[in-house]
Structure formats: structure tokens, C-alpha cells
Amino acid sequence: RGGRMTGSVDAGATAFILATGIIGILFAFYQFRLIASIKLEGDGDENSFRLLADGESQTRLVEIYNAIRQGADSFLFAEYKICMLFIVAFG
């Protein structure tokens, strides 16, 4: 009919979008549970390990965290600036 999309094609696309969204959310939840299961300090179990052995390790961890956060903030600022330019130019 003149190249128009039928309802079944639209329904198929919608189902695909919803399915991939749900799969993505489930995968994100799985990754969250995987990371949350890592213990930062040993609980006395011989199979556990101490990620933070002492205060010096924790201090270093905070330094690394701050450096990553600063880099991420700088990156996002640059991305938002570029996006704003496109919005102003083409919006």
C-alpha cells in the first residue's frame, strides 16, 4: 500500500525494543549482584581475602576514586558542551 509499514511490523519492532530493554535491565542487575558480592574486608573466612589490607590501601583507593571521578566529570562536561552545540546548531 504505497510503502507504508503495517501494524505487524510496528508491533514486531516494539516487541524487539521492549525485549532488548528488559534483557539489558536483567544483565545490569546481574552485574550489580556480581560486584556487590565482593567483600571489601575479610570476615574471618579462610576463603575470603582482604581487598583493603590497611589504612594506606584505603587512602590509595580514595585517591584513585577521586582521580577517576575528576576525569569522568571532565569528560561529561566536554560531551555536554558538544551536545549543546549540536542542539543549538541543528535544533
Side-chain angles (χ1 to χ4, degrees):
R1 299 180 171 201
R4 290 185 174 224
M5 296 178 83
T6 63
S8 64
V9 173
D10 290 338
T14 301
F16 176 75
I17 291 168
L18 289 175
T20 55
I22 291 170
I23 290 169
I25 290 170
L26 290 174
F27 182 71
F29 181 73
Y30 168 74
Q31 291 293 320
F32 168 77
R33 297 290 296 170
L34 192 65
I35 297 299
S37 69
I38 297 173
K39 296 180 188 315
L40 292 180
E41 295 185 19
D43 57 3
D45 183 8
E46 65 183 38
N47 293 328
S48 67
F49 63 93
R50 290 182 70 101
L51 186 58
L52 301 175
D54 55 17
E56 182 179 323
S57 295
Q58 190 167 5
T59 302
R60 181 70 177 137
L61 185 66
V62 170
E63 289 174 6
I64 293 169
Y65 165 79
N66 286 330
I68 291 171
R69 183 172 181 171
Q70 182 181 9
D73 287 343
S74 297
F75 172 78
L76 287 175
F77 179 75
E79 286 292 310
Y80 290 150
K81 193 164 80 171
I82 291 171
C83 287
M84 187 57 68
L85 291 173
F86 273 98
I87 290 170
V88 168
F90 300 111

